[in-house]
Amino acid sequence: METEWQLKGRCISMSKMAGQKTVLQEYDRYISGLFAPEDDALRSAREEMLRASMPEINVSASEGKLLHLLARAIGAERILEIGTLGGYSTIWLARALPPQGKLISLEIDARYAEIARRNLKSADLAKKVQVRIGPALESLSQLEAENEGPFDLVFIDADKDGYVNYLRKAMPLLREGGLVLGDNTLPDAVLDSAAESGTKRYNAEVSARPDLISILVPVLRSRGIDGLLISIKQTPAPKA
Ligand code: SAH
Ligand code: DHB
Ligand code: MG
């Protein structure tokens, strides 16, 4: 008879083949069942996104809870999100804010932004959240010009080729001790040493920056394993 461990090993190697997602999905269902149950606002945000035929690329409930918890842990009062989609991750993050807190979310697609605003209104978060339409690099320049910083937390989750530039532009807007969170930073493709990607460039840049202290944490997604790159901004030690 197979022991539990043998069974687990077999399932995981099977997951390399066809039956793939199911095992990981079950782990994720276990985690979110206990720690990240969705309420009506989160469920209806996902339903609205499906109704609008938006891509299902929002964070999972468990990753949403992780974002929420990290924001709480640092007492974030001002959050910057790059890549809104339907506002699903936005809801998890904005719910971590105190009453006077504020979240600004950047989205290039006006139709998506409109749906996100509706979902945020249904979640009773319209007062705390501003969705800005436009290419994120331009919006970041505007935020700088308007002196909207400093932020306590920046969540980067838009086009992967833009990540390095978003980071460079967002760093001056982030307070010391603030967090930078990079979504989708552990796709399968990072294991292919021959392949180049925006994600790999971002991971390399973050790992090399002396003003960030970082770790890439694997997270479970419906498609398999992905990751969240977590960084704290610090003042680099002066060179001797
Ligand atoms: N954070 C969301 C998912 C974001 S998906 C969640 O987890 O719920 C990525 C989003 O980034 C898409 O909505 C896409 O339209 C947006 N995007 C892509 N390129 C962009 C750009 N240059 N500027 C701003 N947003 C962009
Ligand atoms: C996908 C997932 C994401 O979280 C994202 O931001 C972009 C794409 C995906 O699964 O394809
Ligand atoms: Mg993402």
Side-chain angles (χ1 to χ4, degrees):
M1 215 181 106
E2 276 179 312
T3 67
E4 195 185 338
W5 283 109
Q6 283 167 333
L7 189 61
K8 236 182 206 176
R10 189 166 61 81
C11 288
I12 287 164
S13 52
M14 254 171 59
S15 81
K16 288 280 161 221
M17 304 187 303
Q20 189 145 163
K21 308 169 183 175
T22 48
V23 175
L24 294 170
Q25 269 172 348
E26 276 172 37
Y27 282 113
D28 195 46
R29 255 198 292 276
Y30 174 77
I31 296 173
S32 36
L34 277 176
F35 297 107
E38 287 181 327
D39 65 358
D40 287 348
L42 285 163
R43 240 188 323 269
S44 107
R46 274 197 301 102
E47 282 162 12
E48 291 300 318
M49 289 163 59
L50 278 180
R51 218 192 306 281
S53 304
M54 291 164 80
E56 292 178 68
I57 56 174
N58 51 275
V59 296
S60 62
S62 59
E63 192 186 350
K65 180 67 178 287
L66 176 59
L67 299 174
H68 177 93
L69 192 136
L70 289 168
R72 286 269 178 132
I74 61 158
E77 297 191 7
R78 298 181 53 80
I79 295 176
L80 175 60
E81 177 178 67
I82 306 176
T84 317
L85 195 68
Y88 185 82
S89 56
T90 323
I91 294 175
W92 281 105
L93 280 167
R95 284 180 168 172
L97 292 168
Q100 75 282 8
K102 185 175 180 188
L103 185 155
I104 298 179
S105 188
L106 312 181
E107 174 54 55
I108 198 168
D109 186 305
R111 190 175 75 91
Y112 291 176
E114 219 32 69
I115 292 159
R117 283 176 183 146
R118 271 213 313 273
N119 288 336
L120 289 157
K121 188 152 184 275
S122 307
D124 234 358
L125 290 165
K127 264 178 52 193
K128 284 182 180 168
V129 180
Q130 183 187 99
V131 180
R132 290 197 180 204
I133 299 169
L137 266 190
E138 285 176 25
S139 302
L140 285 164
S141 296
Q142 281 167 15
L143 292 177
E144 190 187 356
E146 292 166 22
N147 255 319
E148 275 287 356
F151 291 92
D152 303 299
L153 188 158
V154 180
F155 177 48
I156 305 179
D157 192 20
D159 56 306
K160 310 310 163 198
D161 282 332
Y163 272 37
V164 167
N165 286 331
Y166 302 148
L167 175 72
R168 291 180 182 164
K169 218 97 179 106
M171 280 301 281
L173 299 172
L174 185 69
R175 73 154 159 96
E176 193 175 337
L179 289 176
V180 188
L181 307 176
D183 193 32
N184 311 110
T185 36
L186 194 60
D188 297 346
V190 295
L191 300 181
D192 179 353
S193 55
E196 246 302 346
S197 69
T199 305
K200 274 192 171 178
R201 283 192 296 277
Y202 179 76
N203 292 346
E205 163 98 5
V206 168
S207 70
R209 282 187 79 119
D211 55 354
L212 290 177
I213 170 166
S214 309
I215 189 66
L216 176 45
V217 178
V219 295
L220 299 171
R221 308 295 293 261
S222 54
R223 266 160 236 236
I225 286 178
D226 204 323
L228 182 70
L229 179 40
I230 303 176
S231 308
I232 299 179
K233 181 174 173 177
Q234 64 171 0
T235 304
K239 287 215 177 78

